[in-house]
Amino acid sequence: MRHQHAGTAAAEPEAPRRQIAAAATDPEQGLTAGQAAERAAAGYANLPVEAPTKTELQIVRDNVFTFFNLIFVVLAVCLLFVGDFRDMLFLVIAVANTLIGIVQEIRSKRTIDKLTLLSAPRATVVRDGQVGTLPTDKLVRDDVVLFAAGNQIPADAVVLTGEIQVNESLLTGEPDAIVKRPGDTLLSGSFVVAGGGRTQLTKVGAESYASRLTLEAKKDAGPGQSEMMNSLDKLIRVIGIALVPMGIALFAKQYFFLEATLPHAITSTVAALIGMIPEGLYLLTSVALAVSVIRLARKKTLVHDMSSIETLARVDVLCVDKTGTITEPGMQVTGLVPLDAEKFSARSLETVLSAFYAAADADNDTARAMAARFREKSVWKADRVVPFTSATKWSAVSFVGHGSYVVGAPEFVMGQRYADLKDIAEEYSAQGERVLLLAKYDGRLDGKALTGALTPMALVRIVNKIRPEAPETFRYFAEQGVAVKVISGDNALTVSQVALRAGIEGAERYIDASTLESDGDIARAVEQYTVFGRVTPNQKRKFVQALKKAGHTVAMTGDGVNDVLALKDADCGIAMASGADAACQAAHLVLLDSNFASMPEVVLEGRRVINNIQRAASLFLVKNIFSFLLAIITIFATNMPYPLVPLQLSLVSALTIGVPSFFLALEPNKAIVQGRFLHNVLKRACPGGMTNLFLVLGAELFVAAFGFSAAELSTVAAMLMSFNGIFVLYQVCKPFDWKRRILWCAMTLGMVGAVGWFGGFFSMVPLTFQTGLVFTVLLLLAVPCQKTILRIMGIYSRTRDAVKVRLKARRRVRVLPED
């Protein structure tokens, strides 16, 4: 499991093991309860090498011992040194921020832990001769475990009985299924695509293959992060590096060159540094994401990877399978169509199909529907069974004295001879029905291509009911500008008809994926078509990769073992909990109620949290941009003191940034997220930050011209920042609703009250006629200044985009002659 918001924490080091020799175990009896307990106590349990979330102690430690908290403590000590207790209000805000972060992360952790427990993978195990299920972390070395299609292998094992086809692509990158027979090794992390059998676990916990890869990966690199969190990390890193030299330079300028008193020099330097620290920005992001996890949990959605919440907000293409997404999971056989009634009577067909499904494992919805329909008791003895796989699209059974039979997709069974059946098969496909072919096979069954003679016997008609809520769900995605691609292993015409009935836009544009021979064909098809039929698991993966390469943000839903590779490669993989456990483990999100109708709410949650974080982050950076630029100017400008004190910046931060940002971060917001996070935030923050800078510099010029006192300069500068911050908050709150109106009015009244009645507490002095006039004139320039900066930024942005378009056109012209 990958809960990146909490940071992946390694499990505690294992205690020294008491050596217990590996022993062959009877496949029918398994270990005894005593042997299993002995192995668990000796350290041979299949415990994960990663904890799903941080411990509560780790959450407290990581929120308290941060770089910026250390900076705050150092700055507080500096103020304590000069006896300036009142300006230490920022420390109270930092403590409150830390406590809020701890509480919300612990709430999020407890929610995830409960859901993880409910959806924990389980395995079918043999103990004391009884078959039962256990969570995979309760397995021990030498356990006998039964695997079937859809299972993910939780520990290294050796096959004891049966024949198992596994896919090891998540470990090795090789897409082809590998057949494992008795004596062969199974690697943890691979998954079963067909067949089944009994196995004995040989390496568990940290010794297993997947665990060793995980530990190696943790040495090489930390966990991946979303674009938003990466941007915040880079921003905070740059600020952290700049703080120390700028603080030293500011203090030196104030104390040595301007000959300010030590208390004044320290207070001014602390104010400048506090202004540059986005003290609540990272906290706000963490809290918003933690609250989002809790909200998604209430919607029965388990978050494996926190970065997927941001991805959801940016999704513009949603890939879905037909079965389990558009249609209900169960299938129903509606008819048996003999292809040669004289040669194969309905009765003989029933006999063959009953024998076939008595011998073959019903390990998927189609097989279960067939087994439920053809369930006569059979005395035929099978001597060879080839299980169904998504790659071959057929299964086969050879019977002693009765020959071999194949059941599967007509196109794949018949190959080039499919034209003989195409008209009749597509007659039913056009009605949205799935069609299987029963054929007699004159050849040896070895799991490879069918090279012997085939005699078509009958078509079996199967239907899926469309989910009642599907049309409304797909209508929502169309309205939101999210393109839906239906990627299915069924006949393309069948899938198209089902998709049309479900209301998917463009569903009449369909293609048979077996006709796509190259990656170039796939790249063109994913942009041109909506429905793809006869798709193999590896093709599903290539479709997702092609869409990503074309610049789309791709979400993929699935519930079967054939979806695992695509789920893993999608920007956001979403699995149904009722599906294969391999799919659930590969996905970023798991819908615990397996209800596709909840997808709109899940996408809306992603948009809400990211849009609101961007909105609130712009408030933080207004102050940071202003403080950073003013500090640089103060360092290099002659006879220019830093005009603000820490207490004034604490007031501005609280009423124009801190309190509003936490309310705004939890507001509804349905707009699709576009552009890069940091670019979007800076674009919103620059006008307010630059306006603050121009206004305060204007106040500095008036001080130089009319000889105002330092206290008057500090008062005018603080008031300009305060009320310009209210203007910025007004812009950020758009579009207004009743909650945002109340928020803005409350912050405005709070600011007026703080300045008007408690100005003395915030180191402000009463305004004289001259200073009041200066304040009024400069404040009236605030809105025109912001609009001018916005206009300049717009001109620059349009010019840059036009240049990019021209450069792309030139590159195209250069390439055309060579092509």
Side-chain angles (χ1 to χ4, degrees), residues 501-541:
R501 291 210 298 270
I504 296 176
E505 285 192 2
E508 69 281 358
R509 300 193 301 271
Y510 64 89
I511 189 172
D512 187 327
S514 63
T515 64
L516 303 176
E517 298 179 353
S518 68
D519 290 348
D521 292 341
I522 290 174
R524 287 185 288 272
V526 293
E527 294 289 354
Q528 186 177 352
Y529 296 98
T530 298
V531 174
F532 303 85
R534 296 305 181 208
V535 183
T536 65
N538 198 43
Q539 278 183 319
K540 282 191 179 185
R541 188 181 207 176

Side-chain angles (χ1 to χ4, degrees), residues 750-769:
M751 187 66 76
V752 171
V755 172
W757 283 278
F758 300 99
F761 176 79
F762 292 103
S763 300
M764 297 182 190
V765 297
L767 294 178
T768 63
F769 175 77

Side-chain angles (χ1 to χ4, degrees), residues 64-359:
V64 171
F65 298 105
T66 67
F67 175 74
F68 284 129
N69 279 354
L70 174 63
I71 294 291
F72 284 137
V73 170
V74 171
L75 296 180
V77 169
C78 291
L79 292 175
L80 193 64
F81 177 72
V82 296
D84 187 355
F85 301 101
R86 193 170 53 178
D87 280 318
M88 292 170 62
L89 180 63
F90 67 86
L91 204 58
V92 176
I93 297 172
V95 171
N97 284 346
T98 301
L99 290 175
I100 292 169
I102 290 170
V103 169
Q104 289 292 5
E105 275 205 53
I106 288 176
R107 283 185 64 207
S108 175
K109 168 204 160 46
R110 289 176 178 174
T111 301
I112 287 175
D113 287 348
K114 287 178 184 176
L115 291 184
T116 302
L117 186 62
L118 289 173
S119 63
R122 301 180 70 84
T124 304
V125 63
V126 181
R127 286 190 182 170
D128 291 313
Q130 300 294 316
V131 177
T133 61
L134 285 175
T136 55
D137 60 359
K138 300 297 183 185
L139 300 174
V140 298
R141 195 196 68 191
D142 299 329
D143 256 329
V144 173
V145 179
L146 281 70
F147 290 125
N151 292 155
Q152 187 156 35
I153 297 169
D156 295 355
V158 62
V159 179
L160 299 177
T161 65
E163 188 175 283
I164 305 173
Q165 288 190 37
V166 297
N167 188 301
E168 297 178 348
S169 60
L170 299 181
L171 304 172
T172 65
E174 293 296 329
D176 296 332
I178 301 168
V179 178
K180 301 285 187 176
R181 297 184 175 89
D184 291 340
T185 299
L186 299 175
L187 297 178
S188 57
S190 57
F191 54 93
V192 182
V193 295
R198 300 195 177 205
T199 67
Q200 181 176 355
L201 303 187
T202 55
K203 292 181 180 178
V204 296
E207 290 184 346
S208 70
Y209 186 81
S211 295
R212 294 202 307 274
L213 286 182
T214 300
L215 291 171
E216 198 63 37
K218 284 168 69 68
K219 292 178 188 175
D220 295 340
Q225 285 188 316
S226 67
E227 189 262 334
M228 177 182 70
M229 297 305 290
N230 275 327
S231 297
L232 287 176
D233 280 346
K234 289 176 184 175
L235 177 67
I236 288 171
R237 199 177 303 122
V238 168
I239 293 172
I241 293 170
L243 277 177
V244 177
M246 290 188 70
I248 295 171
L250 273 170
F251 176 77
K253 167 74 181 295
Q254 303 279 328
Y255 188 66
F256 295 108
F257 293 96
L258 297 183
E259 297 181 350
T261 62
L262 182 62
H264 181 74
I266 287 178
T267 301
S268 298
T269 302
V270 169
L273 295 181
I274 287 173
M276 285 187 279
I277 297 173
E279 65 272 13
L281 180 54
Y282 205 89
L283 166 79
L284 169 78
T285 305
S286 299
V287 168
L289 290 175
V291 170
S292 189
V293 167
I294 295 169
R295 285 183 169 180
L296 286 171
R298 290 175 185 155
K299 298 178 174 76
K300 303 296 183 185
T301 301
L302 172 62
V303 179
H304 279 176
D305 187 339
M306 280 302 298
S307 65
S308 62
I309 292 179
E310 179 182 356
T311 305
L312 277 174
R314 299 177 182 276
V315 163
D316 61 351
V317 176
L318 175 64
C319 297
V320 301
D321 194 4
K322 176 178 74 72
T323 307
T325 301
I326 303 175
T327 62
E328 295 175 351
M331 296 184 179
Q332 184 178 0
V333 176
T334 57
L336 181 62
V337 183
L339 296 174
D340 188 341
E342 292 183 5
K343 191 173 182 180
F344 305 109
S345 66
R347 180 65 193 147
S348 64
L349 294 173
E350 293 267 356
T351 300
V352 172
L353 287 168
S354 295
F356 192 101
Y357 285 99

Side-chain angles (χ1 to χ4, degrees), residues 589-651:
L589 299 175
V590 180
L591 302 182
L592 297 177
D593 58 0
S594 300
N595 186 2
F596 181 70
S598 61
M599 275 297 298
E601 290 186 345
V602 174
V603 172
L604 278 180
E605 180 59 30
R607 291 184 179 182
R608 183 198 64 76
V609 69
I610 302 305
N611 277 317
N612 287 335
I613 287 174
Q614 285 190 166
R615 184 202 297 264
S618 63
L619 289 175
F620 283 93
L621 291 190
V622 166
K623 183 191 72 167
N624 302 138
I625 290 169
F626 159 76
S627 298
F628 185 77
L629 294 176
L630 183 62
I632 292 176
I633 293 170
T634 301
I635 290 171
F636 293 102
T638 307
N639 295 324
M640 180 177 169
Y642 194 84
L644 299 160
V645 297
L647 200 57
Q648 293 165 347
L649 282 171
S650 295
L651 172 65

Side-chain angles (χ1 to χ4, degrees), residues 343-491:
K343 191 173 182 180
F344 305 109
S345 66
R347 180 65 193 147
S348 64
L349 294 173
E350 293 267 356
T351 300
V352 172
L353 287 168
S354 295
F356 192 101
Y357 285 99
D361 288 333
D363 54 7
N364 58 58
D365 286 336
T366 305
R368 282 188 281 272
M370 294 286 279
R373 167 64 178 80
F374 304 105
R375 57 180 186 272
E376 291 181 6
K377 189 173 181 181
S378 177
V379 295
W380 290 16
K381 183 179 180 182
D383 64 354
R384 183 82 173 91
V385 177
V386 177
F388 174 88
T389 69
S390 299
T392 62
K393 308 289 187 191
W394 53 262
S395 57
V397 181
S398 175
F399 296 98
V400 177
H402 296 280
S404 301
Y405 298 87
V406 179
V407 175
E411 307 98 303
F412 282 74
V413 174
M414 297 299 292
Q416 294 181 348
R417 287 183 55 198
Y418 173 61
D420 299 341
L421 303 174
K422 184 175 180 180
D423 289 344
I424 187 170
E426 292 195 351
E427 178 185 339
Y428 299 114
S429 296
Q431 300 172 29
E433 294 182 339
R434 187 174 188 181
V435 180
L436 294 182
L437 171 66
L438 168 66
K440 189 163 186 178
Y441 180 61
D442 184 13
R444 183 175 179 275
L445 293 177
D446 54 8
K448 298 179 181 178
L450 300 172
T451 56
L454 283 158
T455 304
M457 298 173 66
L459 295 177
V460 184
R461 298 162 52 196
I462 302 177
V463 295
N464 287 110
K465 290 183 179 178
I466 292 176
R467 288 182 180 270
E469 67 277 5
E472 183 180 346
T473 303
F474 289 118
R475 192 180 308 118
Y476 162 81
F477 284 118
E479 292 169 354
Q480 295 299 312
V482 178
V484 175
K485 303 287 184 181
V486 185
I487 301 175
S488 174
D490 289 352
N491 178 277

